[in-house]
């Protein structure tokens, strides 16, 4: 009986830990990334170079590799994905790493913090977190300069760079009592107070695609790895059958 209890507690503990971690984060939605949907990742790549690379780099990825993986011809990569120039003034080459031109010193001055490289952020934060973070900016007048806060990343130093698309939202609060009897004001929803150029579902789709792209750059080999894995299993199964008949053949005369 005791053993059963220990096992059950052991199974439950991680779940309790998880619940505590994200208890008051809003929004708290989940997404599925379809790794075969290259079109979504292409749209995400476009959003990334347009809206994020002003401040962030993806310095483990090369433009031409991204083009190859996502099925974008090189001339279109050059036209649609590369907006930076080299020190000489010439357009960044298609084989270059996806780095932006901002120096850390300038970033430090402008934001008080250097915007992190986003190459691996889908792995460090997870795709659900990213999806919620990019949909979680809300108006907060108290925050000098930025004017926004974030329901998932409190007091973040990043401005709401997609406000033109999403519009501006105000938080709806509710008071909750935690297990220790303490009361907290938590965000339970948003009201759109200034519409953006996209509807809510269009904006959600745009963020979904952007997160799909971030997930791809964090692990470009994932698809290949899965395919190789399946291939190996099929080979092993086929080999098992072969080995079984071979064994039968060899032992035939012994018995
Ligand atoms: C104007 C500059 C700027 C732009 C443009 C910008 N960001 Fe940021 N971003 C920042 C700064 C500064 C931080 C660091 C915030 C902090 O740690 O308080 C940040 C942090 C982040 C983080 C959190 C990283 C982590 O793990 O802590 C993510 C994710 C992120 N940005 C994604 C994006 C995406 C996606 C875009 C494009 C839609 C984007 N950012 C555009 C400035 C920018």
């Amino acid at each position: 009986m005791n053993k059963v209890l220990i096992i059950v507690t052991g199974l439950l503990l991680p779940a309790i830990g998880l619940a505590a971690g994200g208890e008051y984060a809003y929004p708290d939605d989940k997404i599925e990334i379809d790794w075969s949907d290259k079109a979504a990742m292409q749209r995400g790549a476009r959003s990334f170079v347009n809206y994020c690379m002003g401040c962030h780099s993806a310095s483990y990825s090369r433009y031409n590799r991204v083009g190859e993986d996502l099925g974008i011809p090189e001339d279109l990569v050059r036209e649609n994905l590369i907006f930076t120039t080299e020190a000489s003034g010439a357009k960044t080459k298609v084989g270059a790493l996806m780095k932006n031109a901002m120096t850390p010193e300038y970033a430090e001055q402008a934001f008080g913090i250097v915007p992190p490289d986003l190459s691996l952020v889908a792995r460090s934060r997870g795709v659900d977190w990213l999806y919620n973070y990019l949909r979680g900016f809300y108006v907060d007048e108290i925050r000098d300069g930025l004017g926004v806060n974030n329901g998932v990343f409190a007091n973040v130093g990043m401005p709401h760079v997609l406000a033109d698309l999403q519009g501006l939202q105000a938080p709806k609060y509710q008071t909750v009592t935690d297990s220790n009897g303490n009361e907290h004001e938590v965000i339970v929803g948003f009201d759109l107070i200034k519409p953006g150029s996209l509807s809510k579902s269009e904006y959600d789709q745009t963020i979904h695609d952007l997160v799909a792209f971030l997930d791809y750059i964090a692990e470009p080999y994932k698809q290949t790895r899965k395919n190789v894995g399946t291939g190996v299993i099929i080979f092993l199964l086929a080999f098992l059958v072969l080995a079984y008949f071979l064994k039968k053949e060899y032992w035939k005369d012994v018995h």
Side-chain angles (χ1 to χ4, degrees):
M1 182 63 204
N2 266 347
K3 258 192 197 150
V4 174
L5 212 65
I6 291 171
I7 292 172
V8 170
T9 331
L11 286 176
L12 283 179
L13 270 181
I16 295 168
L18 274 181
E23 211 172 358
Y24 300 126
Y26 183 87
D28 189 15
D29 297 317
K30 305 244 174 299
I31 50 167
E32 287 289 325
I33 304 294
D34 177 0
W35 271 68
S36 62
D37 190 354
K38 299 283 184 253
M41 290 177 184
Q42 289 179 6
R43 291 190 297 269
R46 213 181 161 131
S47 298
F48 183 77
V49 297
N50 278 309
Y51 294 107
C52 316
M53 271 192 73
C55 297
H56 295 279
S57 294
S59 54
Y60 297 165
S61 302
R62 292 183 190 278
Y63 290 102
N64 54 358
R65 172 67 202 273
V66 168
E68 213 174 282
D69 287 349
L70 303 187
I72 315 170
E74 214 160 87
D75 50 330
L76 291 184
V77 170
R78 229 175 264 125
E79 255 168 60
N80 294 315
L81 293 187
I82 303 183
F83 298 113
T84 53
T85 49
E86 287 170 12
S88 64
K91 192 165 182 164
T92 303
K93 297 218 164 50
V94 72
L97 294 167
M98 296 181 72
K99 284 191 179 166
N100 70 9
M102 192 189 283
T103 62
E105 294 76 30
Y106 175 83
E108 185 84 50
Q109 235 177 18
F111 307 108
I113 178 166
V114 181
D117 189 282
L118 295 183
S119 300
L120 299 175
V121 77
R123 278 208 253 171
S124 60
R125 295 286 198 177
V127 292
D128 293 338
W129 188 91
L130 288 172
Y131 183 61
N132 292 319
Y133 169 66
L134 294 167
R135 291 153 62 249
F137 285 94
Y138 64 87
V139 173
D140 185 351
E141 304 297 351
I142 297 169
R143 304 210 62 215
D144 285 348
L146 292 173
V148 288
N149 210 325
N150 193 288
V152 177
F153 189 155
N155 300 323
V156 66
M158 173 169 144
H160 186 9
V161 296
L162 299 172
D164 283 350
L165 305 182
Q166 185 185 29
L168 291 174
Q169 43 190 15
K172 286 192 275 197
Y173 290 102
Q174 196 176 314
T175 309
V176 297
T177 314
D178 67 18
S179 47
N180 298 325
N182 300 322
E183 291 195 338
H184 300 267
E185 283 263 285
V186 302
I187 299 173
V188 291
F190 290 133
D191 285 319
L192 195 63
I193 51 174
K194 181 171 173 269
S197 60
L198 300 182
S199 71
K200 179 168 177 356
S201 62
E202 285 167 341
Y203 183 73
D204 287 353
Q205 185 64 46
T206 303
I207 299 304
H208 169 281
D209 297 347
L210 181 53
V211 174
F213 174 70
L214 291 173
D215 195 29
Y216 149 72
I217 58 168
E219 209 180 339
Y221 294 107
K222 186 142 89 182
Q223 192 62 38
T224 325
R225 205 186 62 209
K226 281 190 180 162
N227 293 345
V228 169
T230 318
V232 168
I233 301 276
I234 292 174
F235 170 79
L236 286 177
L237 285 177
F239 190 75
L240 183 74
V241 174
L242 191 73
Y244 172 73
F245 284 115
L246 258 180
K247 181 215 162 237
K248 257 181 106 170
E249 184 64 28
Y250 282 148
W251 285 83
K252 196 168 63 193
D253 306 327
V254 180
H255 293 302

